[in-house]
Amino acid sequence: MIIMGEMMSDEIMARRVALELSGDCFVNLGIGMPMLVSNHIGTGKQVMFQAENGILGVGPRAEPGMEDKDLGNAGDEHVTVSAGASFMDSATAFDMIRGGHLDATVLGAFQVSEKGDLANWKLPGRKLGSYGGAMDLAAGARKVIVMMKHVTNDGLPRIVRECSYPLTAKNCVSLIVTDIAVIKVVDDGLELCETAPGWTPAQVQQLTEPPLIVRNVSSWPLSVS
Amino acid sequence: MIIMGEMMSDEIMARRVALELSGDCFVNLGIGMPMLVSNHIGTGKQVMFQAENGILGVGPRAEPGMEDKDLGNAGDEHVTVSAGASFMDSATAFDMIRGGHLDATVLGAFQVSEKGDLANWKLPGRKLGSYGGAMDLAAGARKVIVMMKHVTNDGLPRIVRECSYPLTAKNCVSLIVTDIAVIKVVDDGLELCETAPGWTPAQVQQLTEPPLIVRNVSSWPLSVS
Amino acid sequence: MSKVFESCAEAVADIEDGATVMVGGFTGRGTPSQLLLALREKGPKNLAIVRNDASGGWKNPIDVDILIEAGMVRKVITCFAVFGSPKKVSLLERAAMDGLVEVELVPQGTLAERIRAGGAGIGAFYTPVGVGTEAAAGKEVRVIGGREMILEHALKADFSLIKAHRADTLGNLVYRMSARNFNPIMAMASRTTIAEVENLVDVGGIDPDEVMTPCIFVRRIVPTGKVA
Amino acid sequence: MSKVFESCAEAVADIEDGATVMVGGFTGRGTPSQLLLALREKGPKNLAIVRNDASGGWKNPIDVDILIEAGMVRKVITCFAVFGSPKKVSLLERAAMDGLVEVELVPQGTLAERIRAGGAGIGAFYTPVGVGTEAAAGKEVRVIGGREMILEHALKADFSLIKAHRADTLGNLVYRMSARNFNPIMAMASRTTIAEVENLVDVGGIDPDEVMTPCIFVRRIVPTGKVA
């Protein structure tokens, strides 16, 4: 047993993910933790958020008292829209997604495999789950970024050799941002790119099932934490 | 050689076809002669005309000087729209057609076979033709009414045993209105329903290749001619 | 014959046992709650429901769940069966575990596209979504343009219950904001589409360029006013 | 990076030899004539064109025909190749007879659906249209829901040239009346969509409920004003 650093907060993870979204791009944020990312887009960036229930240009949450009954995101939050937004039906919203028009999506996950397989819709042994738009986003977005805690509540690795949870899509993840590291899915496996403050590559490896490629690891940018 | 009656005019044929369009229905009129039908819809009928270039609710032609550059039907005529009209893109216009939402279409034809096969898009021996929306309409509308001259300019029957012209769709025509008769496509062949003024069933048969079933032939309604 | 019905009860009066019914809406936005209440009152059994987010957890209290609760549903085709905390058991999941309701889970975009295909006369289509997952179980796989795709079939229904912001008396519809979602495609995919509408205007009251669902797709309209 | 281009010439400057280009419009309505003129000026060869009514007979003088006439086109995918009197030989048919241009004739609804599929990530679909005709030649036939259907594949392109009535500077588009036609679906089906627009407004100048083509589908906008 080695001494571990501190896990980063969800907000800090969100800030790290936000750095991946370059200017002038279209992004869908999955329900839950990924939705935090929208609060951390730097100025000067023209990032437009899509919600699969039919909004391009989702803005910040509505102020209390300013909610509109017809305006919510896919996670049932009262939101606003940004300038230049548009509404569309569900078929068109998924034409955008499936058709490869989104530059990126940020999704939560139960597990990611070393080949970039994603599992995020159902717990094993459970009768039912919810696909929502996850399968479509995982298959359709040009870049799939996973944002998740590095280990389960029981301390088990979520980055695994093979997913034991039901799959959402094979070989779709490009980047994994966890509460302790940033890991890229590359041709020959998983490359550790960054560690969070207080974490060494060896410590991250300890909590990761497949071997991590360590070539050029840097520390998480200071601006983030 | 027997003495024939006089062929009815296009306008009279259009009037006869219009009788087939009952109240509250949605109809696409093919390019050319069928477009005349819209002038003969009786009062009290709520017939809405669709144009496959993206109009539901095509109205009369635009008065000279009142043309709008953005408003035309699929035959490039300046038209107007009726109250309650809507515009749509080409995909949606054909969802309507292919999806079986139109009550009827009226199409011109080169030939119709005794099984209700339709040929109306290409001359035989010709390198190219124009499908336009004819194949979609023939396959998709709930009722396909053909409106055509009974014989070719050379006097050859257009109602034939087998189409020698390239097919638009098989077994799709329900009713044929020509300049001398009204013929229904029924399970056991072609049934002669009406003859135009001055025409006997025998004379119509004379100009028709397959044998016509003659059970209960009436004369073309007087109101029409 | 006028398409305008005075009450939701009259509008749903011919939805009988065994009918397949599509229900619009997403997290309660654009959900035809008044039609659903009337349908529960009428009480047909063995319904098959097609719905984005059947069952639980969203804030909207009146949704397809009221039909499941009333024991009127034999099958649900949906993409959400579990909500919020993955450990919470939804009404639908409970009914499924008890063997009362059959659930067909469909990825959301595939669900939308299958409904659209049903309305558009497309028999089936190939999509890359779901390849290599449970969603592909038993489905034909084919490589198209270098990519594995699965074959998905069109969905149609006897009735669609939808909600619109504005309608004219011919049945032309306009939706508002994110309440549009599944309503326009479901309007196309049923033999009989019934729209609950917040505002009814005369014919000519909607600009032809602004119509989102042309009247050809709508059989019945019930003006219900705004319901929270 | 601004999407707004000052001239059509700049907007089409990277359309090179061999490109596949979709062109919106129907009988001249919604046809991007100014972009077509600029493309003729630029002069790439061996273009493959996807277009509803390529060639002849309508009243609109500036259409894909100007590219065919200039010898820039190797292939046309269209549903109209002959117009008006069936005995009249169109420019396209003449070029095809001379072996200069290959023509792929597609039923209009199938053409629209193949373009939409290309934009929507659908690989292929089954349609009842064309069964038993020349349009089905060489295509897979399958019975779905008791009806024979043929398999049709998605169409994509390198560029789409389209025309809109109104745009904001982000590229959200609104079309007017029957000038909408193929423009919205072509906007989705290309790597680079270039829109010629009659009116350019600031961001926020279009109601989000009225946008017909969301800005994600549009790369370049050229305000050209109204051209007869």
Side-chain angles (χ1 to χ4, degrees):
Chain A
M1 182 75 193
I2 53 171
I3 309 295
M4 300 291 174
E6 200 184 336
M7 306 311 201
M8 300 295 112
S9 70
D10 294 356
E11 287 295 340
I12 290 177
M13 287 164 70
R15 248 182 272 166
R16 181 59 195 82
V17 170
L19 290 182
E20 295 297 317
L21 308 178
S22 55
D24 292 7
C25 66
F26 296 93
V27 179
N28 181 298
L29 301 177
I31 296 177
M33 207 199 281
M35 285 182 170
L36 296 173
V37 173
S38 63
N39 303 324
H40 300 286
I41 301 302
T43 51
K45 285 189 183 179
Q46 182 72 256
V47 178
M48 259 195 143
F49 293 105
Q50 194 237 24
E52 67 270 24
N53 60 330
I55 312 173
L56 186 65
V58 181
R61 282 205 209 179
E63 299 288 334
M66 300 296 285
E67 299 93 346
D68 187 303
K69 77 169 177 50
D70 290 333
L71 183 50
N73 64 17
D76 199 16
E77 295 171 338
H78 290 288
V79 292
T80 56
V81 291
S82 57
S86 52
F87 297 111
M88 66 227 60
D89 67 26
S90 294
T92 310
F94 280 92
D95 292 349
M96 265 179 209
I97 292 170
R98 195 193 311 105
H101 302 281
L102 290 181
D103 295 290
T105 186
V106 183
L107 296 173
F110 295 139
Q111 293 182 324
V112 178
S113 83
E114 63 180 330
K115 292 186 292 289
D117 296 351
L118 170 67
N120 77 347
W121 71 274
K122 188 183 180 184
L123 296 172
R126 186 75 174 265
K127 171 123 184 138
L128 292 172
S130 286
Y131 293 146
M135 287 196 173
D136 310 85
L137 286 161
R142 290 198 209 126
K143 183 173 184 176
V144 176
I145 302 173
V146 162
M147 174 182 177
M148 66 174 183
K149 296 190 190 299
H150 207 89
V151 296
T152 67
N153 288 345
D154 303 331
L156 296 174
R158 289 176 182 275
I159 301 175
V160 293
R161 283 186 183 280
E162 289 285 348
C163 293
S164 57
Y165 286 46
L167 287 186
T168 304
K170 285 191 166 178
N171 199 13
C172 64
V173 178
S174 341
L175 192 78
I176 311 166
V177 175
T178 74
D179 44 3
I180 62 172
V182 176
I183 293 167
K184 201 179 275 182
V185 182
V186 294
D187 285 345
D188 46 347
L190 298 176
E191 180 173 354
L192 180 62
C193 300
E194 292 175 21
T195 53
W199 288 84
T200 66
Q203 288 169 327
V204 171
Q205 178 66 71
Q206 193 80 6
L207 298 180
T208 309
E209 191 180 283
L212 295 171
I213 299 165
V214 178
R215 280 192 275 244
N216 205 348
V217 182
S218 57
S219 189
W220 201 299
L222 273 181
S223 59
V224 169
S225 37
Chain B
M1 181 76 192
I2 53 172
I3 309 295
M4 300 293 175
E6 199 183 338
M7 306 309 201
M8 300 295 111
S9 70
D10 294 356
E11 287 294 342
I12 290 178
M13 288 165 69
R15 249 181 271 167
R16 180 59 194 85
V17 170
L19 291 182
E20 294 297 318
L21 308 178
S22 55
D24 292 9
C25 65
F26 297 93
V27 180
N28 181 299
L29 301 177
I31 296 176
M33 205 199 283
M35 285 181 171
L36 297 173
V37 173
S38 62
N39 303 325
H40 301 286
I41 300 303
T43 51
K45 284 189 185 181
Q46 182 72 258
V47 178
M48 261 197 140
F49 293 106
Q50 194 240 24
E52 67 270 23
N53 60 331
I55 312 174
L56 185 65
V58 181
R61 285 205 208 179
E63 298 290 331
M66 301 295 286
E67 300 93 345
D68 187 303
K69 77 170 177 48
D70 290 332
L71 184 50
N73 63 16
D76 200 14
E77 295 170 339
H78 289 287
V79 292
T80 55
V81 289
S82 56
S86 52
F87 297 111
M88 66 228 60
D89 67 26
S90 294
T92 310
F94 280 92
D95 292 347
M96 263 178 213
I97 293 169
R98 196 195 307 106
H101 302 280
L102 290 181
D103 296 291
T105 186
V106 183
L107 297 172
F110 294 141
Q111 292 182 325
V112 178
S113 84
E114 61 180 331
K115 290 185 295 290
D117 297 350
L118 170 67
N120 78 348
W121 71 274
K122 188 184 179 184
L123 297 171
R126 187 76 174 265
K127 170 124 185 136
L128 291 173
S130 286
Y131 293 144
M135 285 195 175
D136 309 85
L137 285 162
R142 289 198 210 125
K143 183 172 184 176
V144 176
I145 302 172
V146 161
M147 175 182 176
M148 65 175 185
K149 295 191 190 297
H150 206 89
V151 297
T152 67
N153 289 343
D154 303 330
L156 296 175
R158 291 175 182 274
I159 300 174
V160 293
R161 283 187 184 278
E162 290 283 347
C163 294
S164 58
Y165 286 46
L167 286 188
T168 305
K170 286 193 166 175
N171 198 14
C172 63
V173 178
S174 342
L175 193 78
I176 311 165
V177 176
T178 74
D179 44 4
I180 63 173
V182 176
I183 294 166
K184 201 179 275 182
V185 182
V186 292
D187 285 345
D188 47 344
L190 298 175
E191 179 172 355
L192 180 61
C193 301
E194 292 175 20
T195 54
W199 287 83
T200 65
Q203 290 169 327
V204 171
Q205 178 65 72
Q206 194 81 3
L207 300 180
T208 308
E209 191 181 283
L212 295 172
I213 299 165
V214 179
R215 278 190 276 243
N216 206 347
V217 181
S218 56
S219 189
W220 202 299
L222 272 180
S223 60
V224 169
S225 38
Chain C
M1 203 190 69
S2 170
K3 289 181 178 175
V4 182
F5 282 61
E6 296 238 328
S7 73
C8 289
E10 286 171 80
V12 304
D14 59 349
I15 304 185
E16 304 293 351
D17 290 0
T20 298
V21 183
M22 292 185 176
V23 182
F26 195 127
T27 71
R29 294 182 178 84
T31 300
S33 326
Q34 302 308 301
L35 289 172
L36 286 170
L37 286 171
L39 185 58
R40 181 177 63 179
E41 192 64 24
K42 146 98 185 163
K45 303 288 178 204
N46 292 316
L47 299 176
I49 303 286
V50 181
R51 171 81 169 100
N52 176 59
D53 49 339
S55 201
W58 305 122
K59 293 159 205 155
N60 182 49
I62 301 171
D63 214 322
V64 167
D65 278 13
I66 66 169
L67 307 182
I68 298 172
E69 233 167 354
M72 293 161 57
V73 179
R74 77 178 150 82
K75 182 172 183 180
V76 178
I77 301 178
T78 184
C79 59
F80 285 102
V82 175
F83 280 86
S85 155
K87 284 176 189 158
K88 205 172 111 189
V89 174
S90 74
L91 183 69
L92 179 60
E93 194 177 16
R94 168 61 54 202
M97 286 191 295
D98 293 347
L100 300 173
V101 178
E102 179 194 347
V103 176
E104 181 181 341
L105 216 53
V106 185
Q108 192 167 162
T110 301
L111 183 65
E113 192 66 11
R114 289 178 65 192
I115 294 167
R116 181 190 170 277
I122 299 296
F125 56 88
Y126 289 96
T127 171
V129 175
V131 169
T133 75
E134 283 185 23
K139 289 176 187 161
E140 182 188 318
V141 180
R142 179 184 294 216
V143 176
I144 297 178
R147 196 162 181 201
E148 279 189 316
M149 303 211 180
I150 56 176
L151 183 64
E152 294 280 1
H153 284 79
L155 280 174
K156 289 182 170 196
D158 301 307
F159 294 90
S160 283
L161 308 184
I162 65 169
K163 183 173 177 178
H165 177 59
R166 207 146 46 100
D168 66 20
T169 54
L170 283 179
N172 288 301
L173 304 183
V174 174
Y175 311 93
R176 186 168 172 272
M177 299 185 166
S178 56
R180 192 181 321 183
N181 56 69
F182 280 81
N183 288 303
I185 48 176
M186 287 182 171
M188 296 167 57
S190 285
R191 196 165 39 73
T192 303
T193 289
I194 310 172
E196 167 180 339
V197 304
E198 293 180 344
N199 304 284
L200 185 65
V201 301
D202 287 337
V203 175
I206 303 178
D207 180 334
D209 268 325
E210 285 179 28
V211 171
M212 297 177 188
T213 291
C215 61
I216 193 171
F217 298 127
V218 180
R219 287 284 176 85
R220 301 174 193 167
I221 318 155
V222 194
T224 56
K226 246 169 238 184
V227 180
Chain D
M1 202 189 70
S2 171
K3 290 181 176 175
V4 182
F5 282 61
E6 296 237 329
S7 74
C8 290
E10 286 170 80
V12 304
D14 58 350
I15 303 185
E16 305 292 352
D17 290 1
T20 298
V21 184
M22 292 184 177
V23 183
F26 194 126
T27 70
R29 294 183 177 82
T31 299
S33 328
Q34 301 309 299
L35 289 172
L36 286 169
L37 288 170
L39 185 59
R40 180 177 63 180
E41 192 66 24
K42 147 96 187 166
K45 302 288 180 206
N46 293 316
L47 299 176
I49 302 286
V50 181
R51 172 81 169 100
N52 176 60
D53 49 337
S55 200
W58 305 122
K59 293 157 203 153
N60 181 50
I62 301 171
D63 213 322
V64 167
D65 278 14
I66 65 170
L67 307 183
I68 298 171
E69 231 167 356
M72 293 161 57
V73 178
R74 78 179 148 83
K75 181 171 183 180
V76 178
I77 301 178
T78 184
C79 59
F80 286 100
V82 176
F83 280 85
S85 155
K87 286 178 186 155
K88 206 173 108 189
V89 173
S90 72
L91 182 68
L92 179 60
E93 193 177 16
R94 169 61 53 206
M97 287 191 295
D98 292 348
L100 300 173
V101 177
E102 178 194 347
V103 176
E104 180 182 342
L105 215 54
V106 184
Q108 191 168 164
T110 300
L111 183 65
E113 192 66 12
R114 288 177 66 191
I115 294 167
R116 181 187 170 277
I122 298 297
F125 56 88
Y126 289 96
T127 171
V129 175
V131 169
T133 74
E134 284 185 22
K139 288 175 188 161
E140 181 189 318
V141 180
R142 179 185 296 215
V143 176
I144 297 178
R147 196 162 181 200
E148 279 189 317
M149 303 210 179
I150 55 176
L151 183 64
E152 293 280 0
H153 284 78
L155 280 173
K156 289 179 170 200
D158 301 308
F159 295 89
S160 283
L161 308 184
I162 65 170
K163 181 171 178 181
H165 177 59
R166 208 144 47 98
D168 67 19
T169 53
L170 283 179
N172 288 301
L173 303 182
V174 174
Y175 310 94
R176 187 169 170 272
M177 297 184 167
S178 56
R180 191 180 321 183
N181 57 68
F182 280 81
N183 288 302
I185 48 177
M186 287 180 169
M188 296 168 56
S190 285
R191 198 165 37 72
T192 303
T193 289
I194 310 173
E196 166 179 340
V197 304
E198 293 180 343
N199 303 285
L200 186 64
V201 301
D202 287 338
V203 175
I206 303 178
D207 179 333
D209 268 324
E210 286 179 27
V211 171
M212 297 178 188
T213 291
C215 60
I216 193 171
F217 298 126
V218 180
R219 288 283 177 84
R220 301 173 191 167
I221 317 153
V222 194
T224 56
K226 245 169 238 183
V227 180

